[in-house]
Amino acid sequence: MHNNRSRDWSQIFLQQGMRFAILIGVFATLFFYTQCSKGFSQGRQLYLNHCANCHGADGQGLRSLYPPIAQSDYLENNYEELACIIRFGIDKTLTVNGKSYSTPMVGLDELSEIEICNIVNFISTEWHPKNSYISLKDINMIIGKCK
Amino acid sequence: MRFMPLYILVAIVLFTACTSEDTLPVLGVPTIVDGKEIPHKIRDFSFTNHNGETITNESYKDKIYVADFFFTTCPTICPTVMSQMVRIYDKYENNPDVMLLSHTLDPKRDTIAALKAYADNLEIDAPKWNLVTGDKKVIRGFAQDYMNIVVEDNEAPGGINHSGKIVLIDKDRRIRAFAEGTDPNEVDELLEDIDKLLQEYAQ
């Protein structure tokens, strides 16, 4: 009698545990699909694929042709503009660290908001630690208000 | 399949490259005239540079030089290759024996003014480094001379698909080494090869 009862309890516990695990899985999946990660692997890979050709793998830029992304006073001061530049490109002369740059950039409209969010946060984690993490919600808001 | 001959050429090149240690090999497929092997050579050329000056093979006489193909609006490999060309330019800035030659693959958009702006932005200038333009078909023919492949492709970003080889030419206009301009490690080796070639002429 006593043995049977304890087996019942363990079975119930297993069932509940399973349900709990599935629930955690669902929440985790939802979380990862609606949030962008704070820099690192995904943002780095996106940066290398979409930005590094011109701005360099180390964000150093190229002479007066392409402005640096790393340690850029422009990005330090106009951080919210970054998402807009990635989405819509830019065709005006910028002054970055005292140097002027006028090579136009085309917008990367193939990138989703989450991808832009990952790139922006990678750039901040890697090169602009003073800039705070920007959430996907904020990115959506910024992009909605570009120009 | 269309580029099979080039693969064979590259295979020959790689094979030849392995056989010698001290002096750089002469690359490319030689032509045989009257039973004699004549090495692959860059033909006589005449282009216009970013300052509007005529640049010919005479401008590169008694110099060794590196050559590549690009266009200013190319969003993919060109900026990477150019950054490597800048490395070469910087290293030999004070050595008049080494020059550079970049050909535009898009003469329509890359006017002399556009090339001039690009050169200014790269902070480089002639006579050491010429960005040249000319007849589109003629330039594409020379791309083959320099072992580069160029294909018109509307699907490709910028409309042109091309390889980013940086090719080292000796004083007899023979190809002596090359590197993928997109690979900084290969360009490290090319820099060593340039030194080797300079050494060859110093002896």
Side-chain angles (χ1 to χ4, degrees):
Chain A
M1 201 57 181
H2 185 81
N3 274 347
N4 269 346
R5 255 183 80 182
S6 82
R7 208 177 292 139
D8 285 343
W9 275 112
S10 67
Q11 251 166 9
I12 287 164
F13 183 75
L14 260 174
Q15 276 176 354
Q16 293 297 326
M18 194 77 107
R19 228 177 260 175
F20 189 60
I22 289 170
L23 215 65
I24 285 183
V26 168
F27 274 119
T29 316
L30 269 174
F31 181 78
F32 282 117
Y33 274 101
T34 52
Q35 288 297 311
C36 66
S37 55
K38 194 174 178 183
F40 308 117
S41 56
Q42 224 192 345
R44 182 188 301 275
Q45 202 49 54
L46 287 164
Y47 177 85
L48 291 175
N49 290 348
H50 297 278
C51 320
N53 276 346
C54 295
H55 296 287
D58 302 318
Q60 74 275 23
L62 181 58
R63 301 286 178 117
S64 308
L65 201 56
Y66 308 115
I69 301 295
Q71 286 80 45
S72 150
D73 63 354
Y74 188 87
L75 288 183
E76 212 80 48
N77 301 327
N78 305 276
Y79 201 61
E80 299 217 326
E81 212 184 315
L82 184 53
C84 293
I85 297 175
I86 296 171
R87 169 58 63 87
F88 297 107
I90 190 164
D91 194 4
K92 65 173 188 188
T93 302
L94 297 181
T95 304
V96 182
N97 302 341
K99 224 167 159 178
S100 88
Y101 296 85
S102 49
T103 308
M105 173 182 151
V106 290
L108 303 169
D109 46 17
E110 73 270 23
L111 294 178
S112 68
E113 281 78 4
I114 290 179
E115 288 172 315
I116 292 176
C117 187
N118 276 323
I119 294 176
V120 168
N121 283 308
F122 162 71
I123 289 173
S124 88
T125 318
E126 190 83 355
W127 295 307
H128 299 276
K130 269 194 270 172
N131 292 318
S132 50
Y133 169 78
I134 296 187
S135 70
L136 181 60
K137 204 175 135 205
D138 291 338
I139 288 285
N140 281 323
M141 207 175 65
I142 292 168
I143 288 178
K145 282 197 281 186
C146 289
K147 270 188 230 165
Chain B
M1 230 23 204
R2 231 183 320 158
F3 301 126
M4 202 58 177
L6 211 110
Y7 287 142
I8 293 169
L9 186 140
V10 170
I12 292 168
V13 156
L14 290 177
F15 180 75
T16 342
C18 296
T19 53
S20 169
E21 286 278 315
D22 303 303
T23 54
L24 297 173
V26 175
L27 308 181
V29 179
T31 38
I32 296 171
V33 179
D34 297 331
K36 270 189 189 169
E37 263 194 15
I38 299 171
H40 174 68
K41 227 179 116 172
I42 307 299
R43 292 165 290 153
D44 289 359
F45 58 84
S46 179
F47 298 118
T48 308
N49 78 355
H50 57 278
N51 293 326
E53 300 155 340
T54 303
I55 297 298
T56 70
N57 43 284
E58 284 297 308
S59 319
Y60 286 79
K61 193 175 154 72
D62 287 328
K63 309 281 182 187
I64 70 171
Y65 68 97
V66 289
D68 78 331
F69 293 81
F70 81 112
F71 54 106
T72 61
T73 52
C74 158
T76 50
I77 61 169
C78 308
T80 319
V81 177
M82 272 302 167
S83 71
Q84 297 304 313
M85 287 289 276
V86 168
R87 275 181 73 196
I88 300 171
Y89 180 86
D90 282 349
K91 181 172 176 190
Y92 298 100
E93 197 169 4
N94 299 316
N95 187 338
D97 288 339
V98 181
M99 288 174 67
L100 299 93
L101 177 61
S102 294
H103 310 71
T104 178
L105 291 168
D106 189 4
K108 208 167 151 190
R109 275 186 286 185
D110 288 344
T111 57
I112 291 168
L115 291 176
K116 171 73 180 155
Y118 196 81
D120 286 349
N121 283 333
L122 274 184
E123 297 159 24
I124 61 106
D125 205 0
K128 182 152 213 86
W129 188 352
N130 294 291
L131 309 182
V132 298
T133 181
D135 182 80
K136 191 168 123 177
K137 275 192 185 152
V138 172
I139 292 178
R140 300 217 171 166
F142 274 97
Q144 284 198 332
D145 270 37
Y146 290 103
M147 307 198 304
N148 272 269
I149 305 170
V150 183
V151 185
E152 207 91 17
D153 180 1
N154 289 330
E155 302 277 297
I160 304 168
N161 231 335
H162 67 103
S163 50
K165 281 194 181 62
I166 300 176
V167 183
L168 175 63
I169 309 297
D170 71 10
K171 292 183 183 182
D172 294 310
R173 280 191 267 157
R174 297 173 306 182
I175 298 175
R176 302 300 294 274
F178 65 88
E180 285 305 332
T182 47
D183 183 348
N185 297 328
E186 283 197 21
V187 177
D188 286 346
E189 284 173 34
L190 187 70
L191 288 169
E192 283 171 27
D193 289 342
I194 295 173
D195 287 338
K196 257 189 205 172
L197 190 56
L198 284 170
Q199 199 59 41
E200 206 178 300
Y201 287 112
Q203 281 161 4

